[in-house]
């Protein structure tokens, strides 16, 4: 049987409905465009009215009468001045238009590029923070990163600058190797060439990764505001120590956070060991310590490298000797050992007699030994006494005799240090590029940050006794006689040098024993 065609009205009904909907949508959009100012002003008037009602509700009842009187007075004044009502109407409309316009929505979540990076970090952590036996894993392939990353911040390059990570309780966060793998992974995925600090909260199963700003390298040698017996080794992060000192960094004056090393009879870390690579700034640190020690003490310097890095101190007031040769170094250290014994005997006799310690025993004596491994090699070839053996008395009894020993050595010859030096130098500094294992070997504790491969001279870590490991930047204290030194830094060091006690042409290596000794 042949089918009959549908009536025309039924076949064209769907097309008519579609055209009607399109016309209605177009008319609505046109009306919205035309009436947009009116809609904006109406929305603004509603907000102003709501704000007025809230203000009126918050006004105490005893103050509502004066408020109404003041409002009525304002209305009366506006009504009496020329064009007052018109200006009031324009003002209200303008305020309503400003209050009612639609503001751009504020982005509350990460940008698409940031979301992609967070998801990549999440996926990279899955093998370390998940086990097959976990029925509801916090980290799973294809899972949601926002369950694990509760806080995050990014820098201008969309790289994470701070990240709070929640991890499962079964992760072995008490093992150093497990933590090291996570820190290495996060540092590689978040961006190389930056220094990260990782704070593990083992009780709360949380890890905070923070990108640290570079320490200032513009602080040059200068007079630091310190108490007697305090020496500024360098400067560290603002939250590392609860103290600041005023400094001049370039053209700016500001407060910086110092690493203060306390010496003297009440010090728990009376001696210092500095270790670094060639060119890392160990000699710069010893030169900075010498300039600070000369304010109220005497300094004896023995330089094993023989490069003349301390020539600017030769013949200065308070500098007993600057020895670069083996014979001079042995003579100077022999005198230092005898002087330590003399101070102990004098102070003991004074205490037994009920008198204060003599003045010459209270003046600080500093012994700076740079590269003792060179002297050790020469003495072994010559069959003479190792200078480190002469340091045993100053190291053991230096705190009571007000004698401080500072030793600087390089990583490749660290094994040549004597047991006495290792045991009594409880204040430690590591400068220059070093892997975490090397830093931990010297300081006795791993650094809380990831060392970067490229660091400026004088950059490293410090640990005083059993304290925390702190980042350190040594003040710029170059050799003023070096041609590569800038004029500003050269002048800064020259201004700190004491006056010469011996003319330059008469300076020579002599026995530093005072004439009255």
């Amino acid at each position: 049987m042949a089918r009959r065609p549908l009536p025309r009205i039924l076949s064209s009904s769907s097309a008519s409905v579609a055209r009607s909907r399109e016309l209605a949508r177009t008319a609505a959009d046109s009306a919205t465009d035309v009436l947009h100012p009116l809609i904006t002003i109406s929305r603004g008037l509603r907000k102003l009215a709501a704000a007025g009602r809230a203000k009126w509700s918050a006004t105490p009842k005893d103050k509502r009468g004066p408020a109404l009187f003041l409002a009525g007075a304002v209305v009366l004044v506006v009504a009496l001045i020329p064009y007052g009502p018109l200006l009031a109407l324009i003002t209200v409309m303008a305020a309503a238009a400003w209050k009612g316009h639609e503001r751009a929505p504020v982005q509350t979540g990460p940008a698409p590029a940031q979301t992609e990076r967070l998801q990549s970090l999440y996926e990279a952590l899955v093998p370390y923070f998940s086990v097959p036996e976990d029925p509801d894993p916090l980290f799973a392939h294809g899972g949601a990163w926002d369950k694990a990353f509760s806080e995050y911040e990014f820098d201008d390059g969309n790289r994470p600058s701070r990240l709070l990570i929640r991890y499962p309780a079964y992760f072995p966060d008490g093992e150093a190797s497990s933590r090291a793998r996570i820190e290495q992974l996060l540092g590689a995925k978040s961006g190389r060439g930056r220094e990260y600090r990782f704070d593990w909260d083992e009780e709360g199963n949380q890890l905070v990764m923070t990108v640290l700003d570079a320490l200032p390298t513009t602080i040059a040698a200068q007079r630091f505001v310190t108490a007697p017996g305090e020496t500024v080794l360098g400067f560290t992060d603002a939250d590392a120590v609860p103290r600041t000192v005023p400094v001049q960094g370039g053209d700016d004056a500001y407060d910086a956070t110092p690493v203060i090393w306390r010496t003297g009879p009440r010090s728990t870390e009376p001696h210092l060991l500095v270790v670094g690579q060639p060119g890392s700034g160990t000699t710069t640190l010893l030169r900075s310590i010498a300039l600070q020690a000369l304010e109220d003490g005497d300094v004896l310097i023995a330089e094993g490298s023989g490069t003349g890095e301390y020539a600017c101190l030769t013949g200065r007031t308070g500098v007993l000797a600057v020895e670069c040769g083996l014979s001079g170094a042995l003579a100077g250290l022999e005198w230092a050992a005898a002087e330590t014994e003399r101070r102990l005997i004098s102070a003991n006799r004074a205490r037994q007699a009920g008198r204060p310690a003599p003045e010459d025993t209270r003046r600080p004596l500093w012994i700076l030994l740079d590269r003792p491994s060179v002297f050790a090699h020469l003495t072994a070839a010559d069959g003479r006494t190792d200078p480190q053996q002469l340091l045993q008395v100053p190291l053991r009894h230096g705190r009571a005799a007000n004698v401080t020993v500072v030793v600087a050595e390089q990583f490749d010859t660290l094994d040549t240090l004597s047991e006495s030096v290792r045991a009594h130098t409880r204040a430690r500094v590591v400068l220059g590029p070093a892997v975490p294992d090397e830093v931990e070997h010297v300081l006795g504790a791993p650094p809380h940050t990831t060392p970067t491969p490229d660091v400026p001279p004088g950059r490293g870590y410090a640990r005083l006794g059993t304290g925390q490991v702190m980042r350190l930047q040594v003040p710029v204290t170059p050799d003023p006689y070096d041609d590569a030194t800038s004029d500003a830094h050269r002048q800064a060091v020259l201004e700190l040098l004491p006056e010469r006690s011996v003319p330059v042409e008469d300076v020579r290596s002599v026995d530093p024993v005072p004439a009255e000794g």
Side-chain angles (χ1 to χ4, degrees), residues 77-147:
V77 171
V78 171
L80 294 178
I81 63 175
Y83 304 105
L86 179 59
L87 293 176
L89 180 61
I90 294 175
T91 303
V92 171
M93 293 297 105
W98 171 257
K99 194 74 174 179
H101 79 281
E102 295 180 354
R103 296 174 176 82
V106 179
Q107 182 177 351
T108 56
Q114 299 171 354
T115 302
E116 183 178 355
R117 185 176 286 271
L118 290 174
Q119 186 65 33
S120 175
L121 281 174
Y122 177 85
E123 295 288 343
L125 292 172
V126 169
Y128 302 94
F129 285 152
S130 63
V131 293
E133 297 82 6
D134 191 349
D136 186 19
L138 181 62
F139 285 81
H141 291 292
W145 59 265
D146 54 352
K147 295 192 303 180

Side-chain angles (χ1 to χ4, degrees), residues 304-327:
S305 59
T307 56
E309 294 285 346
Y310 305 93
C312 61
L313 296 169
T314 305
R316 303 283 180 175
T317 302
V319 180
L320 302 178
V322 178
E323 302 293 351
C324 297
L326 177 59
S327 299

Side-chain angles (χ1 to χ4, degrees), residues 283-302:
T283 302
T284 297
L285 177 55
L286 263 64
R287 196 182 296 113
S288 174
I289 292 174
L291 292 176
Q292 297 180 62
L294 287 173
E295 294 185 36
D296 58 354
D298 299 323
V299 177
L300 171 64
I301 302 174

